[in-house]
Amino acid sequence: MAQKPSVPRGTRDFSPVEMLRRNYIFDTIRRTFSLYGYLPLETPAMENLTTLLGKYGEEGDRLIFRILNSGNFLADVPLSALSSADIAAVTQNISEKGLRYDLTVPFARYVVQHRDEITFPFRRYQIQPVWRADKPQKGRYREFFQCDVDVIGSNSLLNEFELIRIIDRVFSELNINVIINVNNRKILAGIAATAGAGDRITDITVAIDKLEKIGSEGVRQELLQRGITPEVIRRLTPFLSLRGSAAEKIAGLKREIAASPEGEKGISEMEELFSYLDMEPSQAKVVFDLSLARGLNYYTGTIIEVKAADMAIGSICGGGRYDDLTGIFGLPGVSGVGVSFGADRIYDVMLNLGLFPEQTGSSTSVLVINFGGEELPELIKIAAALRGAGVATELFPDAVRLKKQFSYADTQHIPLVIIAGSEEIKASQATVRNMKTGEQTTVSLSALPEFIREAKNR
Amino acid sequence: MAQKPSVPRGTRDFSPVEMLRRNYIFDTIRRTFSLYGYLPLETPAMENLTTLLGKYGEEGDRLIFRILNSGNFLADVPLSALSSADIAAVTQNISEKGLRYDLTVPFARYVVQHRDEITFPFRRYQIQPVWRADKPQKGRYREFFQCDVDVIGSNSLLNEFELIRIIDRVFSELNINVIINVNNRKILAGIAATAGAGDRITDITVAIDKLEKIGSEGVRQELLQRGITPEVIRRLTPFLSLRGSAAEKIAGLKREIAASPEGEKGISEMEELFSYLDMEPSQAKVVFDLSLARGLNYYTGTIIEVKAADMAIGSICGGGRYDDLTGIFGLPGVSGVGVSFGADRIYDVMLNLGLFPEQTGSSTSVLVINFGGEELPELIKIAAALRGAGVATELFPDAVRLKKQFSYADTQHIPLVIIAGSEEIKASQATVRNMKTGEQTTVSLSALPEFIREAKNR
């Protein structure tokens, strides 16, 4: 008992100050999602293991937190498994549920389970924590939040366009300069096919993905190491050297790509997407990045990745189109597209670049000093009037020394303090102290709410 | 794969419609908490079992969901425990973490762990799910949300007063008629002492707690069954028959209670609390209910319980003062008071009484019909202008039959549809259809955002 209690490794408490900042991010994201017609959805923290297992690869399965069955959970375990300490066999028998690992698989499960109640296209967003039994390290937690926004049941590229608009709007409201990189998986397939190595698309794109980091000669070496022939590399070279605007790259692709129906489809999709983007310009730079690969096995069309322009921290948002998300649960052929915002990294970027507005320091605007005398009924009325006017107000509950009450306002970053002792109350007035400037103003009680509202907005 | 996937027993998905309604409740609660200077806090879903165990009684310990250790979790289990299938011994060795069971213990853990960073009085609210391995039944879930609001580190009864004001404001904003029952644990102790049975306080209060249900003769029988002597019961009777306003009950208590310092303290606390309540009247009835007992072992002063006036569903909010919440983690003598709102029951009351406002039906105000023709750039501009004016707008992504698009607006409860084909666009106008009345209005494109904003607020 003498030792301080703590939280499990890789998990965190969010203090009020952190919560106010996180809510500022979440509220901005949520407001923008709503503005584009996306609706909230939440799924339970626990899912059946039959839902989760086999969806994230072998490594993913290992990282799922499993819930011990309640009651006599050993009853169903074969004695042979127990006595041989056979982990796999025992685990299978003592646990049926796990904590969700991401928001995508629960979303697919939801769509299949509720397909008869859902109207398509189904636009949903989901902001919830996920859990992974990863080794905790700086910036990597075992509990962290994902903010996913997806539309399912529509092939239209207007969806991709609006998701890019959403990304642009969220980061512009948060004051984060970003670069939005876009590519299309079908184009990557077309390039690989043109080079005569359609079956080597994974090796080729993994190498190309490093273009920014290691340059074109580096990519060449990497491709050779992966057993791509010099002839294939020679045919890839024109694509790697495409430069310029999206329109210029599209023109270049059209010139260089061999007859590949998939590649041509990808090019026409990019052409259509950029035509929409031209109709409503973004604040952020939207770049057609031919080296962007991102989760190939999963995505089937457009892929999107967002980077902070002013801080090297990796991707802070990303996603793309998938043509068979719900197939794993027996509902094939439903196309969707979505992106996920990385709340923790966005938080880190904003903290690092000092982008949190001052108002996220505290949600309370006013502290009323408590003198503990006959003026108390009037102080209660003052607090009531301010709250009635929508001003978040605290009346200090204990009549302790003034110094302690002021110091409380200070550490809590409460910007305004109201001092109304019995003398002031008799004169029907109060003194308002601005905690930042130290400036004090005497105001009549009746004018107080209006004065505070104005002072608050200054 | 053919079988539809499902969620674990006792857990729920929250569909968009349910989420909009739940958020309406949570937003109202959160806004009110902020107005009184309470700040948000969140703790991890998982806590160490050392934090959780022993805090909820034996039954509670059994109901905690345990997380299986990662990796080779059988390595630490003694072979003897395995081969004898000793549940307790095995459990202890294969699981170190559990899902939080309530928000109170994590809060106490937080306060002790972060005591050096916290400024007292510490006002926090916490709205998060909790998990209990209870047998699921109607209205009882294995995952459900709690909304706790507590202030810790202040003995002042102004805190109790403000919590009652918060309760009153939340339910009045939600349009739920409630009765707020208040009592004080010290008074119950004083009554038991007066009756000469201070050591039987639990039996006495458990019986008195049933007064409303079984009447005073029923309480008499129950007390006898619990082995309370007729003499003690005779001495209790005057308290049970106290009627009238809070002031009248206080006067009666003063008259009847024997010299009991604890009882007198309780009476003076109630007197002070009701004097504050007189200064700022509540919309709801606040009743001094001498039969209210509620979780005796835990509370040490004021106790509060809220019931819906128009629906029999049990308590929808409750709490009280505790003098030693953090003692379990080695920080004794910190007094606090708090209440918890039951989100699920509040939801049920509102659904049952039809109290959800219409706006919780959908968060999207406008659907722009997609004709798939040359007018598309203009439709994109219309949607952009509306969103710029803060109007949640969808542009239907696919140029499918009009009937399908209108039916989408209908099932999604989107109140307004904009019809702007190439003819309308050429004339720089659009038709706005009110989906409820069927009324159609032709509006010039430039006046559209203003028109929609007004139509939306009607």
Side-chain angles (χ1 to χ4, degrees):
Chain A
M1 279 302 174
Q3 213 194 334
K4 265 195 192 176
S6 61
V7 295
R9 244 164 32 100
T11 70
R12 296 164 288 175
D13 288 318
F14 295 115
S15 72
V17 171
E18 289 164 323
M19 281 298 295
L20 292 173
R21 289 181 184 147
R22 290 173 64 86
N23 284 346
Y24 177 75
I25 296 173
F26 289 137
D27 289 346
T28 304
I29 290 176
R30 222 178 266 128
R31 198 170 53 241
T32 308
F33 290 168
S34 299
L35 211 47
Y36 282 79
Y38 285 84
L39 299 172
L41 176 76
E42 283 187 11
T43 62
M46 294 187 258
E47 292 276 356
N48 292 319
L49 284 178
T50 49
T51 299
L52 298 177
L53 293 177
K55 311 303 190 299
Y56 307 106
E58 222 170 280
E59 171 72 359
D61 281 358
R62 266 201 334 101
L63 298 183
I64 290 169
F65 277 111
R66 284 149 204 252
I67 314 275
L68 205 51
N69 292 346
S70 324
N72 183 0
F73 57 83
L74 284 181
D76 293 335
V77 184
L79 256 175
S80 59
L82 271 185
S83 52
S84 64
D86 179 342
I87 299 286
V90 173
T91 308
Q92 203 182 338
N93 281 286
I94 65 178
S95 167
E96 288 169 355
K97 294 182 284 288
L99 295 180
R100 74 175 155 250
Y101 181 88
D102 70 0
L103 302 178
T104 308
V105 166
F107 175 52
R109 192 264 309 143
Y110 178 89
V111 169
V112 176
Q113 185 179 340
H114 300 272
R115 58 185 156 194
D116 299 331
E117 308 141 38
I118 292 174
T119 312
F120 294 96
F122 182 50
R123 301 165 165 239
R124 84 86 175 81
Y125 68 86
Q126 193 168 353
I127 301 181
Q128 289 191 280
V130 302
W131 296 271
R132 297 183 185 176
D134 245 325
K135 216 181 167 63
Q137 57 183 57
K138 194 179 174 314
R140 191 206 280 162
Y141 303 100
R142 290 184 149 188
E143 173 180 75
F144 59 97
F145 279 71
Q146 294 192 334
C147 313
D148 280 22
V149 56
D150 290 83
V151 50
I152 193 161
S154 163
N155 295 310
S156 166
L157 286 155
L158 281 173
N159 296 303
E160 273 91 335
F161 162 60
E162 291 198 343
L163 287 172
I164 291 171
R165 297 293 311 121
I166 285 175
I167 291 169
D168 185 49
R169 189 174 195 117
V170 164
F171 289 113
S172 126
E173 291 209 357
L174 293 177
N175 255 316
I176 304 177
N177 294 321
V178 296
I179 294 151
I180 306 173
N181 293 309
V182 188
N183 198 4
N184 191 304
R185 194 254 178 233
K186 296 188 183 88
I187 293 178
L188 291 172
I191 291 176
T194 303
D199 55 335
R200 303 298 302 278
I201 176 162
T202 304
D203 283 307
I204 291 174
T205 49
V206 166
I208 290 182
D209 204 29
K210 299 183 180 165
L211 186 61
E212 200 189 332
K213 234 188 252 166
I214 58 178
S216 51
E217 182 50 31
V219 170
R220 218 185 101 84
Q221 290 303 324
E222 169 106 18
L223 286 166
L224 283 171
Q225 270 167 33
R226 288 175 175 265
I228 306 293
T229 64
E231 176 56 20
V232 167
I233 296 175
R234 197 186 56 75
R235 293 201 203 114
L236 286 173
T237 311
F239 296 103
L240 295 185
S241 52
L242 285 177
R243 294 282 178 279
S245 69
E248 285 163 334
K249 279 179 191 159
I250 288 169
L253 278 172
K254 283 183 174 169
R255 203 169 53 232
E256 302 291 344
I257 216 154
S260 145
E262 198 178 1
E264 282 160 21
K265 182 87 196 322
I267 295 172
S268 96
E269 285 181 9
M270 279 305 255
E271 212 167 4
E272 184 178 341
L273 178 56
F274 273 94
S275 79
Y276 296 145
L277 290 167
D278 285 342
M279 293 176 196
E280 194 190 349
S282 294
Q283 184 144 333
K285 212 167 146 186
V286 183
V287 177
F288 182 1
D289 177 2
L290 271 164
S291 73
L292 178 63
R294 203 183 163 80
L296 258 193
N297 305 325
Y298 189 74
Y299 295 116
T300 50
T302 312
I303 37 187
I304 303 169
E305 194 166 84
V306 183
K307 292 198 164 157
D310 305 324
M311 184 177 162
I313 195 176
S315 149
I316 55 176
C317 176
R321 181 171 285 276
Y322 39 82
D323 279 342
D324 199 21
L325 184 68
T326 56
I328 42 173
F329 296 115
L331 182 67
V334 183
S335 184
V337 56
V339 296
S340 183
F341 288 77
D344 288 305
R345 283 192 178 167
I346 294 173
Y347 185 95
D348 288 346
V349 169
M350 294 190 65
L351 199 63
N352 242 286
L353 302 178
L355 299 179
F356 284 112
E358 207 176 329
Q359 88 242 29
T360 59
S362 170
S363 65
T364 309
S365 301
V366 172
L367 175 72
V368 180
I369 296 289
N370 185 341
F371 293 96
E374 54 181 10
E375 72 293 328
L376 185 58
E378 290 303 321
L379 301 186
I380 287 177
K381 274 188 207 152
I382 290 174
L386 289 176
R387 289 170 187 143
V391 177
T393 304
E394 280 186 51
L395 167 58
F396 201 87
D398 304 276
V400 293
R401 283 178 306 137
L402 287 200
K403 202 183 153 195
K404 202 176 162 192
Q405 298 189 45
F406 276 107
S407 134
Y408 175 84
D410 215 39
T411 52
Q412 298 294 93
H413 304 288
I414 301 175
L416 300 166
V417 169
I418 290 180
I419 307 141
S422 47
E423 288 308 311
E424 278 104 338
I425 292 296
K426 267 178 209 147
S428 284
Q429 52 192 27
T431 301
V432 180
R433 182 188 175 95
N434 181 320
M435 289 299 285
K436 213 169 162 188
T437 62
E439 190 191 348
Q440 298 202 156
T441 317
T442 299
V443 184
S444 82
L445 290 185
S446 58
L448 199 53
E450 190 52 34
F451 178 86
I452 295 285
R453 269 164 64 148
E454 271 175 28
K456 198 174 77 118
N457 293 331
R458 256 207 305 269
Chain B
M1 280 303 173
Q3 213 192 336
K4 265 194 191 177
S6 62
V7 296
R9 247 167 27 103
T11 70
R12 296 164 288 175
D13 289 318
F14 295 115
S15 72
V17 171
E18 288 163 325
M19 281 298 296
L20 291 174
R21 289 181 183 146
R22 290 173 65 86
N23 285 345
Y24 176 74
I25 296 173
F26 289 138
D27 289 346
T28 303
I29 291 177
R30 220 177 268 128
R31 197 173 52 241
T32 308
F33 290 168
S34 300
L35 211 48
Y36 282 80
Y38 286 84
L39 299 172
L41 176 77
E42 283 188 8
T43 61
M46 294 186 260
E47 292 276 356
N48 291 320
L49 284 178
T50 50
T51 299
L52 298 177
L53 292 177
K55 312 303 189 298
Y56 307 105
E58 222 170 280
E59 172 70 1
D61 281 359
R62 267 203 330 104
L63 298 183
I64 290 169
F65 277 110
R66 285 148 203 253
I67 313 274
L68 205 51
N69 291 346
S70 324
N72 184 1
F73 57 84
L74 284 180
D76 293 335
V77 184
L79 256 176
S80 60
L82 271 184
S83 53
S84 65
D86 178 343
I87 299 286
V90 172
T91 308
Q92 205 185 332
N93 280 287
I94 65 178
S95 166
E96 289 170 353
K97 293 184 285 288
L99 294 181
R100 77 176 152 248
Y101 181 87
D102 71 0
L103 302 178
T104 308
V105 166
F107 175 51
R109 192 264 310 145
Y110 178 89
V111 169
V112 176
Q113 184 179 339
H114 300 273
R115 58 186 157 195
D116 300 330
E117 310 142 37
I118 292 174
T119 312
F120 293 97
F122 181 50
R123 301 165 164 238
R124 84 87 174 80
Y125 69 85
Q126 193 168 353
I127 302 181
Q128 289 191 282
V130 301
W131 296 270
R132 295 182 187 178
D134 244 325
K135 215 180 167 62
Q137 57 184 57
K138 194 181 173 315
R140 192 205 278 161
Y141 303 99
R142 291 183 147 186
E143 173 180 76
F144 59 97
F145 279 71
Q146 292 191 334
C147 313
D148 280 21
V149 56
D150 291 82
V151 50
I152 194 161
S154 163
N155 295 309
S156 168
L157 285 153
L158 282 173
N159 297 303
E160 273 91 335
F161 162 60
E162 291 199 343
L163 286 173
I164 292 171
R165 298 291 313 120
I166 287 175
I167 291 169
D168 185 49
R169 189 175 195 116
V170 164
F171 289 113
S172 126
E173 291 210 356
L174 293 177
N175 255 314
I176 302 177
N177 294 320
V178 296
I179 294 151
I180 305 173
N181 293 308
V182 188
N183 198 5
N184 191 302
R185 195 255 178 233
K186 296 188 183 87
I187 293 179
L188 291 172
I191 292 176
T194 304
D199 54 336
R200 303 298 301 278
I201 176 162
T202 304
D203 283 306
I204 291 173
T205 49
V206 166
I208 291 183
D209 203 29
K210 299 183 181 166
L211 186 59
E212 200 189 334
K213 236 188 249 166
I214 60 178
S216 52
E217 182 50 32
V219 169
R220 220 185 100 83
Q221 291 303 325
E222 169 107 17
L223 286 166
L224 283 171
Q225 271 168 32
R226 288 176 176 267
I228 306 294
T229 65
E231 176 57 19
V232 168
I233 296 176
R234 198 187 54 77
R235 291 201 204 115
L236 285 173
T237 311
F239 296 104
L240 294 184
S241 52
L242 285 177
R243 294 283 177 280
S245 68
E248 286 164 331
K249 282 180 188 158
I250 288 169
L253 278 172
K254 283 183 175 167
R255 204 167 54 230
E256 303 291 345
I257 216 154
S260 145
E262 198 177 2
E264 282 159 22
K265 181 90 197 320
I267 295 172
S268 96
E269 284 181 11
M270 279 305 253
E271 214 168 2
E272 184 179 340
L273 177 56
F274 273 94
S275 78
Y276 296 145
L277 289 167
D278 286 342
M279 293 176 196
E280 194 189 349
S282 294
Q283 183 144 335
K285 213 168 146 186
V286 184
V287 177
F288 181 3
D289 177 2
L290 271 165
S291 72
L292 179 64
R294 200 184 164 83
L296 259 192
N297 306 326
Y298 189 73
Y299 296 116
T300 50
T302 311
I303 37 187
I304 303 170
E305 193 167 85
V306 183
K307 289 196 167 162
D310 304 325
M311 185 177 163
I313 195 175
S315 149
I316 55 176
C317 176
R321 179 170 287 277
Y322 39 82
D323 279 342
D324 198 21
L325 184 69
T326 56
I328 42 173
F329 296 115
L331 181 67
V334 184
S335 183
V337 56
V339 295
S340 182
F341 288 77
D344 287 306
R345 283 191 178 167
I346 294 173
Y347 184 96
D348 287 346
V349 170
M350 295 191 64
L351 199 62
N352 243 284
L353 302 177
L355 299 178
F356 284 111
E358 207 176 327
Q359 88 242 26
T360 58
S362 170
S363 65
T364 308
S365 301
V366 173
L367 175 72
V368 180
I369 297 288
N370 185 340
F371 293 96
E374 55 180 11
E375 71 292 329
L376 185 60
E378 290 305 319
L379 301 186
I380 287 177
K381 272 188 207 153
I382 289 173
L386 289 175
R387 289 170 188 143
V391 177
T393 304
E394 281 186 50
L395 167 57
F396 202 87
D398 303 275
V400 292
R401 283 178 306 136
L402 286 200
K403 204 185 151 193
K404 201 177 163 192
Q405 299 189 43
F406 275 107
S407 134
Y408 175 85
D410 215 39
T411 52
Q412 298 294 91
H413 303 287
I414 301 175
L416 301 166
V417 168
I418 290 180
I419 306 142
S422 47
E423 287 309 309
E424 278 104 338
I425 292 296
K426 266 178 210 147
S428 283
Q429 47 185 236
T431 300
V432 181
R433 182 187 176 96
N434 181 321
M435 289 299 284
K436 214 170 162 188
T437 62
E439 191 191 346
Q440 298 203 154
T441 317
T442 300
V443 185
S444 80
L445 290 186
S446 57
L448 201 51
E450 189 53 32
F451 178 85
I452 295 284
R453 270 164 65 148
E454 271 175 29
K456 199 175 76 119
N457 294 331
R458 257 208 307 268

